[in-house]
Amino acid sequence: MKWKISDNTVFAWHSWLGLFVGIFTLFLSVTGIMLLFRDEVDASLSRSVLQVKPSEMQFPLDSIVATLKQHYPAASLQAILLNTNQANRAIIAEIVIEGHRQSVYWNPYSNQLIGSLKTEDNVMRNVLEWHEELTAGALGHVFLFLVGLAMLGSVLTGLWYYRKSLFKVFRIGVRGKNTYLFNADLHKLLGIVSCLFLLLMGGTGTFFHWEKIERMLGEEREQNPAAKKEIHPWPLLEANFSIDYFVKKSKEKK
């Protein structure tokens, strides 16, 4: 007795796999588009702490860092965004205090603190983390491995289900008699046109992330958790470099 799968079953698999891949792709696309306009959104949401009134005199950056040390002697420095190309923007220092990250906004013309914002309260930072959590880290590799398998499954089941009318879509085109027919024809046409790309994306992505998963599992077995090095943030009081010097050198190399 031969085992046979009906076309209805294949179409059901195609629909569910496509829905899974579609939701992921939609989420990644929406958050990615938002990140493209991150600067504009930040300027709108954080106007009270981000916008400053430009002046003819600006304090040296080293002087600003020294004043920042006085305000936050126990803080650890993560990064400094100078915004040198935007005269009406504050300097943003990313610091960690007692394990909590926050952004400190500093007026470079008055060398005064404007305000601070906890990382978890920054809308676009949260969007960035949502976007990156699905594309980075151990859990991200597992999830994207499953997405790759689902993408492969969606393409293969779609090719099987439409095997009898695979190339008729180019002759028929997209009919506009009604909404259902229009969407069905458009879906099939786009699916056939992009199937090779989706197969390559799903196949290479699945292989890539499975390799990452195998490597992580191997490292977990070989490495003693107690032996892992902890990365500590850089205490702000130990920041003895000259930002003015580095900015000057970077301008000279342009």
Side-chain angles (χ1 to χ4, degrees):
M1 184 175 179
K2 294 183 178 180
W3 183 64
K4 186 178 180 180
I5 301 177
S6 67
D7 284 349
N8 289 335
T9 302
V10 174
F11 183 76
W13 289 352
H14 177 72
S15 301
W16 283 109
L17 290 171
L19 180 63
F20 174 66
V21 175
I23 291 175
F24 165 75
T25 305
L26 177 63
F27 177 82
L28 203 62
S29 299
V30 170
T31 53
I33 290 173
M34 292 177 67
L35 290 172
L36 285 176
F37 298 96
R38 179 179 181 180
D39 190 62
E40 290 80 3
V41 176
D42 274 337
S44 177
L45 297 178
S46 307
R47 184 178 298 275
S48 60
V49 290
L50 187 60
Q51 297 290 332
V52 297
K53 186 178 180 180
S55 174
E56 294 182 0
M57 189 202 76
Q58 181 174 335
F59 277 80
L61 297 173
D62 293 338
S63 175
I64 293 174
V65 172
T67 310
L68 188 62
K69 291 179 185 180
Q70 296 176 4
H71 277 75
Y72 300 97
S76 299
L77 182 65
Q78 296 289 306
I80 295 179
L81 180 60
L82 302 178
N83 286 322
T84 53
N85 294 328
Q86 295 173 295
N88 63 337
R89 294 290 180 89
I91 290 177
I92 306 174
E94 299 286 342
I95 63 175
V96 176
I97 302 177
E98 297 180 352
H100 299 285
R101 296 188 62 178
Q102 61 178 282
S103 300
V104 176
Y105 297 84
W106 207 269
N107 190 328
Y109 302 102
S110 63
N111 197 8
Q112 293 179 336
L113 173 68
I114 302 174
S116 61
L117 185 67
K118 292 182 179 179
T119 300
E120 57 267 24
D121 295 334
N122 189 308
V123 176
M124 293 309 298
R125 177 60 66 86
N126 288 329
V127 172
L128 176 62
E129 291 181 356
W130 297 336
H131 184 83
E132 289 185 339
E133 281 298 320
L134 297 179
T135 58
L139 185 60
H141 288 305
V142 174
F143 183 81
L144 288 178
F145 172 74
L146 296 176
V147 171
L149 288 179
M151 186 177 291
L152 284 174
S154 177
V155 174
L156 294 175
T157 52
L159 290 174
W160 175 261
Y161 182 78
Y162 295 109
R163 64 192 183 280
K164 296 179 181 179
S165 59
L166 201 58
F167 297 105
K168 290 182 181 179
V169 295
F170 297 106
R171 177 170 53 85
I172 296 174
V174 179
R175 294 164 290 183
K177 293 182 180 180
N178 55 64
T179 304
Y180 175 81
L181 192 61
F182 175 83
N183 289 329
D185 287 344
L186 182 62
H187 177 79
K188 285 186 284 187
L189 181 61
L190 293 176
I192 296 301
V193 170
S194 62
C195 67
L196 180 60
F197 170 76
L198 294 175
L199 281 173
L200 289 173
M201 285 292 291
T204 55
T206 301
F207 176 80
F208 172 77
H209 291 290
W210 172 248
E211 188 180 39
K212 291 286 186 179
I213 293 171
E214 279 190 320
R215 189 179 304 170
M216 288 186 298
L217 292 175
E219 289 177 354
E220 287 293 331
R221 288 192 294 266
E222 294 174 3
Q223 188 174 12
N224 182 2
K228 293 181 180 179
K229 294 183 179 180
E230 293 185 3
I231 300 177
H232 298 283
W234 189 14
L236 193 57
L237 283 175
E238 296 180 8
N240 295 320
F241 57 87
S242 172
I243 297 182
D244 289 306
Y245 172 80
F246 289 117
V247 171
K248 179 182 177 181
K249 286 297 182 181
S250 65
K251 290 181 179 179
E252 291 176 353
K253 292 182 178 181
K254 289 184 178 181

